[in-house]
Amino acid sequence: MEGTMKLAMAEDAVEYCLFLIPDKARDTEETKEILQKYIERIMTQFAPILVPYIWQNQPFNLTYKPAKGGVPAHMYGMTKFGDNIEDEWFIVYVIKQITKAFPELVARIEDNDGEFLLIEAADFLPKWLDPDNSANRVFFHHGKLCIIPVPRKSERIPWLPTTPPTIQQALSIVSAHSEAVLASESVQAAVDRRIRGYPEKIEASLHRAHCFLPAAVVAVLKQRPRLVSAAVQAFYLRDPIDLRACRVFKTFLPETRIMASVTFTKCLYAQLVQQKFVPDRRSGYGLPPPSHPQYRAHELGMKLAHGFEILCSRCSAHLSDSRKSPVTASPLWAGFLESLKRNDYFKGLMEGSAQYQERLEMAKNYFQLSIHRPESSLAMSPGEEVLTMLQTLPFDVEELKREGAHLPPEDDDQWLVLSPDQLDQLLQDTMGRKESQPVPQKEEEQNYDVAQVSDSMKAFISKVSTHKGAELPRDPSEAPITFDADSFLNYFDKILGAKPQESDSDDMDEDDFECLDSDDDLGFETQDSESLKGALGSLKSYMAQMDQELAHTSMGKSFSTRKQAKKETPSQTANDNSDEEDSGAGDCVVESVDVDLNLVSNILESYSSQAGLAGPASNLLHSMGVRLPDNTDHNPPGSQ
């Protein structure tokens, strides 16, 4: 459909678009100039949190996209986040803040799974919303999530289209009726909970560790800390051709190694640590014994050095002059630098100091990647960037050694191993636990009702599943209208007379006999009806005899009857058993099985046998909203 955006992206990537709300007609050049200025303002205003961020694969970026196929001109960006899903949610936070800071912008964001914001809030979405009708309905505006609804058949809303809206229609609706299309508070809370803690959360996602590295790597990382991600990825995804380049190191010699502090993201650190790798003997990267106090620093440094060597081996050492042009030659650089100073990016550091220069270099790199990006054919690869820095960056090895002798302490990596409580908390958060309504344990136990288990199970079993799967019980006020397809078809068969007078099937149940009882419908005589009723009575008598015989078997004794449910002592149970053994099957009355009691007792026994772990009983009950308290009975399940 014209004006419907279908984002085609690489695996593990997120795409985001920022549109200007419709106000007045503009020509193409004017629109392009306005959007270019917005890109500069956005990237400058959010530079303090974007510059120091270490991305897994690609940074946040924006570029101008001209109008095409009913989609207006807009600002567009795509970021491959790879294994670090936090990069994607950080971008969601940035997009949300951009629309809050610039009310005239409307944003949409998708990844390779589609509308992943709706997936995150799946438990709170309206019933009508599904992947088939969600196109061009989900946007950010004024820092709020908006979902354009579908009009009901009984209502007529002039500004709501009956078909999925185009981008132009969606932008007009969001800008003109922003309050009416706001997502519900529960949906907003589900998304906000996922991005809670930013931007402070950025610091918590970092891990600083000591690494025994070649001096050239230390110098590169001091200027471009983000290149650690490219080196880790190169080592993590290495192949035999890459390792061939690491048999003998040509760029990062092992004899130049010094101790340094390296900042990773927790994802990158975990990827590097969990890799088991033995270096080639010819490389010169030997490791001390595992008992050595600095074994971890030597191992991390060895792996990181291999990553940097692999990066450089993938490109030519002879770079063209066009790729070496400094970013300061761009006419946009001066304005960008002034904007950084106004936004207190340098934190009051003295101009020309070492820390000021480090932040300035980071800003230049950020400007190169996100604002003044060259064409893709001329863009530098990480390896080319490293080689360019080594050719132009002077560094003092002795000075780096002195700094290595007074390093700050490294971070504790105990977070790599989760305790049982932390794992439970993580699983509960992932399952979307309603944190806004916590229930204390004591109160939960007091409000617990065993009958709720039976009622929930009955409601679940009585549901008719569809091709979309089984539906869990809902609140009575939210129960949808039910439709009995079989009754509907039988009714039409009677009207049209299409139902055959005789059935070829011998498998006739009670309902079939009841249908055959009507003389008006099928034209049977009274005597035929009486014979059918007699057959049904004989069948019931036969089933009753079977119940009496099964009642004295081991299977029959495994069920609780209504008589046993009232009150029964162990001595009475023994006497009853002995009496049953002496008596015949037809000399006693069969007590009816207490279905509710058997259901609850079996579920509780299954739940108790899970020993607090996930299992079918707890998963089914949790999905129905039934929370069982912990078992405080010291007796094992089934014991009396």
Side-chain angles (χ1 to χ4, degrees), residues 352-370:
S353 64
Q355 292 180 332
Y356 181 94
Q357 290 301 124
E358 288 181 10
R359 296 189 70 84
L360 181 63
E361 288 298 324
M362 292 170 60
K364 289 180 180 178
N365 183 239
Y366 168 80
F367 179 82
Q368 178 75 22
L369 292 173
S370 303

Side-chain angles (χ1 to χ4, degrees), residues 541-577:
S541 176
Y542 178 70
M543 295 299 296
Q545 293 179 11
M546 289 184 61
D547 288 343
Q548 287 184 345
E549 292 183 9
L550 291 174
H552 306 293
T553 65
S554 58
M555 176 172 290
K557 295 175 183 179
S558 66
F559 292 95
S560 299
T561 62
R562 297 187 184 279
K563 180 179 179 180
Q564 294 171 341
K566 292 179 180 179
K567 188 174 182 181
E568 189 177 60
T569 61
S571 60
Q572 290 173 333
T573 304
N575 294 334
D576 291 343
N577 291 340

Side-chain angles (χ1 to χ4, degrees), residues 295-358:
Y295 173 79
R296 175 58 62 86
H298 281 256
E299 184 187 35
L300 289 174
M302 176 270 297
K303 294 176 181 178
L304 206 53
H306 276 71
F308 275 100
E309 188 73 19
I310 291 171
L311 286 178
C312 294
S313 68
R314 294 175 179 173
C315 57
S316 172
H318 302 286
L319 305 178
S320 63
D321 293 336
S322 61
R323 299 189 182 189
K324 296 182 182 180
S325 58
V327 297
T328 53
S330 169
L332 301 176
W333 168 251
F336 175 72
L337 184 59
E338 287 300 321
S339 298
L340 288 181
K341 293 178 179 178
R342 287 196 303 269
N343 285 279
D344 195 28
Y345 167 74
F346 292 99
K347 306 294 183 183
L349 295 173
M350 183 180 296
E351 188 169 349
S353 64
Q355 292 180 332
Y356 181 94
Q357 290 301 124
E358 288 181 10

Side-chain angles (χ1 to χ4, degrees), residues 403-453:
E403 292 179 1
H406 301 87
L407 295 177
E410 56 184 350
D411 296 337
D412 188 359
D413 61 1
Q414 287 300 312
W415 53 266
L416 284 170
V417 181
L418 292 177
S419 66
D421 292 340
Q422 290 173 324
L423 182 59
D424 288 342
Q425 181 70 31
L426 180 63
L427 291 175
Q428 289 175 355
D429 292 342
T430 304
M431 291 171 61
R433 186 185 61 174
K434 284 71 174 177
E435 297 179 0
S436 58
Q437 298 178 353
V439 179
Q441 183 68 19
K442 293 183 179 179
E443 182 181 347
E444 182 181 349
E445 294 178 2
Q446 292 173 358
N447 296 335
Y448 170 68
D449 184 7
V450 177
Q452 186 183 6
V453 177

Side-chain angles (χ1 to χ4, degrees), residues 165-396:
T166 64
I167 284 291
Q168 291 279 17
Q169 290 175 325
L171 294 178
S172 298
I173 292 171
V174 171
S175 60
H177 308 278
S178 57
E179 293 294 330
V181 298
L182 280 180
S184 65
E185 292 184 3
S186 55
V187 173
Q188 301 271 6
V191 175
D192 290 343
R193 182 164 55 247
R194 193 61 181 82
I195 60 177
R196 180 185 302 164
Y198 284 113
E200 294 79 10
K201 192 176 178 181
I202 298 174
E203 181 65 24
S205 68
L206 301 178
H207 182 86
R208 295 167 182 83
H210 293 172
C211 299
F212 198 50
L213 288 167
V217 174
V218 177
V220 168
L221 289 178
K222 281 177 67 68
Q223 297 292 330
R224 307 283 169 85
R226 65 169 186 83
L227 286 175
V228 68
S229 61
V232 172
Q233 293 296 300
F235 176 77
Y236 187 73
L237 303 174
R238 64 192 180 277
D239 57 29
I241 297 178
D242 293 329
L243 291 180
R244 191 181 306 165
C246 296
R247 291 175 182 172
V248 178
F249 276 63
K250 299 179 180 179
T251 307
F252 303 103
L253 305 180
E255 56 268 21
T256 64
R257 287 179 292 177
I258 58 176
M259 195 65 71
S261 179
V262 179
T263 301
F264 303 86
T265 63
K266 289 183 176 179
C267 180
L268 292 171
Y269 180 77
Q271 286 181 325
L272 203 61
V273 167
Q274 65 91 25
Q275 287 276 300
K276 302 299 181 184
F277 179 73
V278 178
D280 193 293
R281 293 183 179 180
R282 291 168 288 183
S283 67
Y285 278 88
L287 294 176
S291 59
H292 193 279
Q294 293 182 329
Y295 173 79
R296 175 58 62 86
H298 281 256
E299 184 187 35
L300 289 174
M302 176 270 297
K303 294 176 181 178
L304 206 53
H306 276 71
F308 275 100
E309 188 73 19
I310 291 171
L311 286 178
C312 294
S313 68
R314 294 175 179 173
C315 57
S316 172
H318 302 286
L319 305 178
S320 63
D321 293 336
S322 61
R323 299 189 182 189
K324 296 182 182 180
S325 58
V327 297
T328 53
S330 169
L332 301 176
W333 168 251
F336 175 72
L337 184 59
E338 287 300 321
S339 298
L340 288 181
K341 293 178 179 178
R342 287 196 303 269
N343 285 279
D344 195 28
Y345 167 74
F346 292 99
K347 306 294 183 183
L349 295 173
M350 183 180 296
E351 188 169 349
S353 64
Q355 292 180 332
Y356 181 94
Q357 290 301 124
E358 288 181 10
R359 296 189 70 84
L360 181 63
E361 288 298 324
M362 292 170 60
K364 289 180 180 178
N365 183 239
Y366 168 80
F367 179 82
Q368 178 75 22
L369 292 173
S370 303
I371 299 179
H372 186 60
R373 293 191 299 162
E375 297 298 326
S376 58
S377 59
L378 298 176
M380 281 190 182
S381 67
E384 291 172 335
E385 192 174 349
V386 171
L387 289 176
T388 301
M389 292 184 65
L390 293 179
Q391 294 175 7
T392 59
L393 177 65
F395 58 91
D396 187 352

